Amino acid sequence: MKIGDLETKNNLFLAPMAGYTDVALRHLAKKFGAGLTTTEMVSAKGLIYDSEKTKWLLHTSCLEDIKSVQLFGNEPQVFVEAIKNPVLEKFDIIDINMGCPAPKIIKNGEGSFLMTNPDLAYEIVKASCVATKRPITVKMRLGYETNNAVEFAKTLEKAGASAICVHGRLKTQGYSGFADYEEIAKVKRAVNIPVIANGDVVDENSYKKILQVTNADAVAIGRASIGNPHIFAELLHLDMPYDKFETIKEQYEMLLRIYDEHFVITNMRKQVNQYLKGLNVPQTVKLDLLTKQTYTEVLEILQNIFKE
Ligand SMILES: Cc1cc2nc3c(=O)[nH]c(=O)nc-3n(C[C@H](O)[C@H](O)[C@H](O)COP(=O)(O)O)c2cc1C
């Protein structure tokens, strides 16, 4: 798929997920074939204030041939300043979050709240496009409380967005129910920029269905990649062996080269839990694993689990 002048290797992407799509998960997604990865959402304001915590989220992997960063905020000028920050120089694409339903984001008028204010969304995209030659993309939902996806997408296109990713739910749906592929299809038919369809792709059937119904240019996978970054190879029919234990180890060790051990151990707990889903691991072992504080201890338990 083409985003501006950039050509992705294929049309199956990793969707951004706060707290999950850190540099290690993105590295693994790329390794297993993902065509494009994007950082989790990063505060545009945080970049302006030079927040160390914000900059932590900007690590990238050497496998990320195209580097995309997602920003959130609600002030055009703040986006402009953030985009010009040298720490974003290495990124090829600037993605703007207009889909997040989290209360702390909504209360600041950011994320999916922007779908209630198409004029402001237009100003943000327009100002961002003026601030950089790099493609500006947007991740949106079908709407906030009511579906305005088609009109909203057209507004983004008019403002200069190079592509949009549509998660087929309203903000008020959170993650409940099912993503509506027919509604994504309407967006695809309404705009001339590439559309990335997103929501509930978990296997071959759902992947085929979203492509068939939406006719989208690409598909983004979120939750199904947590604890299974190999899903990209599976859906792309790449002949890539998968050793779960080695993959988990690679994920930990990549993070440990960047972040402190406490942060990594805490952060990886929810991901490890997903890797263990479907395996016959006694609850006591899982609990033990989730309370360990050092990588050496965690590794020992994982070795025992995967040895059996
Ligand atoms: C824990 C979590 C964090 C997320 N964080 C982000 C984010 O930072 N930026 C974003 O655009 N979407 C975010 N999303 C939404 C996903 O990108 C995606 O749109 C959603 O999960 C639906 O796709 P899926 O069914 O493949 O998971 C997040 C979703 C989850 C579950």
Coordinates of all heavy atoms in Angstrom, one line a residue, residues 16-19 21 38-44 54 57 69-72 95-97 99-102 104-105 111:
P16 N -1.8 0.4 16.5 CA -1.1 0.9 17.7 C -1.9 0.6 19.0 O -3.2 0.7 19.0 CB -1.1 2.4 17.5 CG -2.1 2.7 16.5 CD -2.3 1.5 15.7
M17 N -1.3 0.2 20.0 CA -2.0 -0.1 21.3 C -1.1 0.4 22.5 O 0.0 -0.1 22.7 CB -2.2 -1.6 21.4 CG -3.3 -2.2 20.5 SD -3.5 -3.9 20.7 CE -2.0 -4.5 20.0
A18 N -1.7 1.3 23.2 CA -1.0 1.9 24.3 C -0.7 0.8 25.4 O -1.5 0.0 25.7 CB -1.8 3.0 25.0
G19 N 0.6 0.8 25.8 CA 1.0 -0.2 26.8 C 1.3 -1.5 26.3 O 1.7 -2.5 27.0
T21 N 2.2 -2.0 22.2 CA 3.0 -1.9 21.0 C 4.3 -1.1 21.2 O 4.5 -0.1 20.6 CB 2.2 -1.4 19.8 OG1 1.6 -0.2 20.1 CG2 1.2 -2.4 19.3
T38 N 3.2 1.1 14.1 CA 3.1 2.4 14.5 C 3.3 2.4 16.0 O 2.9 1.5 16.7 CB 1.7 3.0 14.2 OG1 1.5 2.9 12.8 CG2 1.6 4.5 14.6
T39 N 4.0 3.4 16.6 CA 4.1 3.5 18.0 C 2.8 3.6 18.7 O 1.8 4.0 18.0 CB 4.9 4.7 18.4 OG1 4.1 5.9 18.2 CG2 6.3 4.9 17.7
E40 N 2.7 3.3 19.9 CA 1.5 3.6 20.7 C 1.3 5.2 20.7 O 2.3 5.9 20.3 CB 1.6 3.1 22.1 CG 2.7 3.7 22.9 CD 2.8 3.0 24.3 OE1 2.0 3.4 25.2 OE2 3.5 2.0 24.4
M41 N 0.2 5.6 21.1 CA -0.1 7.1 21.1 C 0.9 7.8 22.0 O 1.1 7.4 23.2 CB -1.5 7.4 21.4 CG -2.0 6.9 22.7 SD -3.7 7.4 22.9 CE -4.0 6.8 24.6
V42 N 1.4 8.9 21.5 CA 2.4 9.7 22.2 C 1.8 11.1 22.4 O 1.3 11.7 21.4 CB 3.7 9.7 21.4 CG1 4.7 10.7 22.0 CG2 4.3 8.4 21.3
S43 N 1.9 11.7 23.6 CA 1.3 13.0 23.8 C 2.1 14.1 23.0 O 3.3 14.3 23.2 CB 1.4 13.3 25.3 OG 1.2 14.7 25.5
A44 N 1.4 14.8 22.2 CA 2.0 15.9 21.4 C 2.5 17.0 22.4 O 3.6 17.5 22.2 CB 1.0 16.5 20.4
T54 N 7.6 10.6 27.8 CA 7.1 10.6 26.5 C 8.1 10.1 25.5 O 7.9 9.3 24.6 CB 6.6 12.1 26.1 OG1 5.7 12.5 27.0 CG2 6.0 12.1 24.7
L57 N 8.8 6.4 24.7 CA 7.9 5.7 23.8 C 8.4 5.7 22.3 O 7.8 5.1 21.4 CB 6.5 6.3 23.8 CG 5.8 6.3 25.2 CD1 4.5 7.0 25.2 CD2 5.6 4.9 25.8
V69 N 4.9 7.3 13.8 CA 4.6 7.6 15.2 C 3.2 8.2 15.4 O 2.7 8.9 14.5 CB 5.7 8.7 15.7 CG1 5.6 10.0 14.9 CG2 5.5 9.0 17.2
Q70 N 2.5 7.7 16.4 CA 1.2 8.3 16.6 C 1.1 9.3 17.7 O 1.6 9.1 18.8 CB 0.2 7.2 17.0 CG -1.3 7.7 17.0 CD -2.3 6.7 17.5 OE1 -2.4 6.3 18.6 NE2 -3.1 6.2 16.5
L71 N 0.6 10.5 17.4 CA 0.5 11.5 18.3 C -1.0 11.7 18.8 O -1.9 11.5 18.0 CB 0.9 12.9 17.7 CG 2.4 12.9 17.2 CD1 2.7 14.3 16.7 CD2 3.4 12.5 18.3
F72 N -1.2 12.2 20.0 CA -2.5 12.6 20.4 C -2.5 14.0 21.0 O -1.4 14.4 21.5 CB -3.2 11.6 21.4 CG -2.6 11.6 22.8 CD1 -3.2 12.4 23.8 CD2 -1.6 10.7 23.1 CE1 -2.6 12.3 25.1 CE2 -1.0 10.7 24.4 CZ -1.5 11.5 25.4
D95 N 1.1 9.8 12.5 CA -0.3 9.4 12.6 C -1.0 10.1 13.7 O -0.3 10.4 14.8 CB -0.3 7.9 12.9 CG -1.7 7.3 12.9 OD1 -2.4 7.5 11.9 OD2 -2.1 6.6 13.8
I96 N -2.2 10.5 13.5 CA -2.9 11.3 14.6 C -4.1 10.5 15.1 O -4.9 9.9 14.4 CB -3.4 12.6 14.0 CG1 -2.2 13.5 13.5 CG2 -4.2 13.4 15.1 CD1 -2.5 14.8 12.9
N97 N -4.1 10.4 16.5 CA -5.1 9.6 17.1 C -6.5 10.4 17.2 O -6.6 11.4 17.9 CB -4.6 9.2 18.5 CG -5.6 8.3 19.2 OD1 -6.8 8.5 19.2 ND2 -5.1 7.2 19.8
G99 N -9.3 8.3 17.7 CA -10.1 7.1 18.0 C -10.1 6.6 19.4 O -11.0 5.8 19.8
C100 N -9.2 7.2 20.2 CA -9.1 6.6 21.6 C -10.3 7.0 22.4 O -10.7 8.1 22.5 CB -7.8 7.2 22.2 SG -7.6 6.6 23.9
P101 N -10.9 6.0 23.1 CA -12.1 6.2 23.9 C -11.8 6.4 25.4 O -12.7 6.5 26.2 CB -12.9 4.9 23.7 CG -11.8 3.9 23.6 CD -10.6 4.5 23.0
A102 N -10.5 6.3 25.8 CA -10.1 6.4 27.2 C -10.6 7.7 27.9 O -10.4 8.8 27.4 CB -8.6 6.2 27.4
K104 N -9.5 9.6 30.3 CA -8.6 10.6 30.5 C -8.2 11.4 29.3 O -7.8 12.5 29.3 CB -7.3 10.1 31.3 CG -6.5 9.2 30.5 CD -5.2 8.9 31.3 CE -4.4 8.0 30.4 NZ -3.4 7.2 30.9
I105 N -8.4 10.7 28.1 CA -8.1 11.4 26.8 C -9.3 12.2 26.4 O -9.2 13.3 26.0 CB -7.8 10.3 25.8 CG1 -6.6 9.4 26.2 CG2 -7.6 10.8 24.4 CD1 -5.3 10.2 26.2
G111 N -8.3 12.3 21.2 CA -8.7 11.0 20.8 C -10.0 11.1 20.0 O -10.3 11.9 19.2

